[in-house]
Amino acid sequence: MTLGNVPEVSEYELKRQRLIEENKKLLEELGLAGDNERIAPISGYKSDDPPPRKKARSHPKKLSKAPPPPMRTSRRLKGEAPDDTVDIEAFLDQNDKMRQAAIALKVPTSQEQQPFDPAVISAPVTLVSIGTTIWSLGELYTGKGRSKYWSGRGCRYRHPYPIGFRASKQHFGNTYHMAIEKGDDGPVFKVQVNESKTIFEGATPTAPWTEACKKSKSQGTRVSGPLFYGFSDLVTMRMIERMEGYELAGEPETQDE
């Protein structure tokens, strides 16, 4: 401490003051003294180097949409011949089976005649697969032209059509009676609506059912004659195979016949 309580200035403080004065003098020479606005803040510093390029964002390639599947068109609506190919699962109708319950109470079903034994099952019988009741098998035609009395390649099973075959089925809110008769050029398939005089007929099982569908309230419903007649059920096939003349009906025809 010095006289008069004046604090002694240290060497470090003297050196700091000299530096401050020198800096002020330098700023005055540069014309920057007292003008802080001319000094750009550090945050505002801009580099002369070009800014880094941004990486281009990759966009996933748009997949071309697959063309829609072709719409199914009914061969019946196109005016073509009916297709007798059968897919049972596509035609099963639980309502048909329920409407057939009244008949099933009087006629034994194929399940009730189980265990499955072709030697035991016989008509009349109600097929549980589709609800068709077969009342009579009729008889097999073994004469000249018998090859015309066999099902076509489009059917589920290859088999002869018995003449005098009779069956019935509930469908479209009606009872349809089916029959097979002998024609001049092969079998004639007939479908009668209820007990009326309205009868549809054709050269294949599907032909009369197609006409019945057109006249019903379900014109857009796909029908299958072999299925509705019961020819797509193995029970019917086994009964036909046991009929008299089955082997002869399948023999090829000769020129002498």
Side-chain angles (χ1 to χ4, degrees):
M1 299 294 289
T2 58
L3 297 175
N5 295 328
V6 177
E8 182 179 357
V9 179
S10 64
E11 184 66 24
Y12 169 79
E13 186 66 23
L14 292 175
K15 185 176 180 181
R16 191 175 73 85
Q17 291 294 335
R18 286 197 301 270
L19 290 175
I20 292 174
E21 294 297 331
E22 291 176 0
N23 289 337
K24 287 182 178 181
K25 184 177 180 181
L26 180 60
L27 290 173
E28 290 176 356
E29 292 176 356
L30 296 174
L32 299 177
D35 193 2
N36 294 334
E37 294 181 358
R38 294 184 183 181
I39 303 176
I42 295 177
S43 60
Y45 171 76
K46 295 183 179 180
S47 173
D48 294 335
D49 298 332
R53 294 182 179 179
K54 294 183 179 180
K55 292 183 179 180
R57 297 179 62 182
S58 59
H59 298 281
K61 295 182 179 180
K62 294 183 178 180
L63 299 177
S64 58
K65 294 184 178 179
M71 296 181 63
R72 294 181 60 186
T73 305
S74 171
R75 298 185 64 176
R76 171 174 58 79
L77 297 178
K78 291 168 63 177
E80 299 178 1
D83 185 0
D84 284 343
T85 302
V86 177
D87 182 1
I88 290 183
E89 295 301 325
F91 291 102
L92 292 181
D93 187 349
Q94 294 296 332
N95 291 329
D96 289 344
K97 297 178 183 178
M98 294 175 63
R99 289 192 292 266
Q100 198 75 5
I103 298 178
L105 292 175
K106 300 178 182 180
V107 180
T109 66
S110 54
Q111 281 188 341
E112 291 171 346
Q113 296 191 29
Q114 297 288 344
F116 185 75
D117 185 358
V120 175
I121 298 178
S122 59
V125 60
T126 297
L127 305 174
V128 296
S129 64
I130 190 60
T132 294
T133 297
I134 299 176
W135 298 100
S136 174
L137 285 175
E139 59 184 20
L140 298 178
Y141 179 70
T142 58
K144 185 179 180 179
R146 57 181 173 269
S147 60
K148 298 179 181 179
Y149 287 79
W150 279 72
S151 60
R153 296 181 179 179
C155 295
R156 191 177 186 86
Y157 300 110
R158 178 74 172 159
H159 63 89
Y161 290 123
I163 303 303
F165 178 92
R166 293 190 303 108
S168 63
K169 175 176 175 55
Q170 299 282 337
H171 204 59
F172 303 141
N174 297 308
T175 299
Y176 292 85
H177 303 281
M178 296 166 280
I180 303 177
E181 299 179 1
K182 185 178 183 299
D184 296 333
D185 194 28
V188 177
F189 299 86
K190 294 186 176 183
V191 174
Q192 180 182 9
V193 183
N194 298 317
E195 304 297 335
S196 68
K197 295 182 179 180
T198 304
I199 300 177
F200 306 100
E201 62 180 61
T204 66
T206 301
W209 271 108
T210 300
E211 295 303 316
C213 178
K214 290 179 180 179
K215 299 296 183 180
S216 70
K217 298 179 180 179
S218 304
Q219 296 184 11
T221 302
R222 184 182 176 189
V223 296
S224 168
L227 181 74
F228 289 175
Y229 266 80
F231 295 135
S232 298
D233 195 303
L234 280 174
V235 173
T236 309
M237 293 298 99
R238 295 297 179 262
M239 290 192 297
I240 292 177
E241 290 173 359
R242 289 170 36 231
M243 294 179 66
E244 183 179 355
Y246 179 81
E247 296 296 335
L248 180 58
E251 291 184 359
E253 298 183 53
T254 62
Q255 295 181 352
D256 297 335
E257 292 186 88

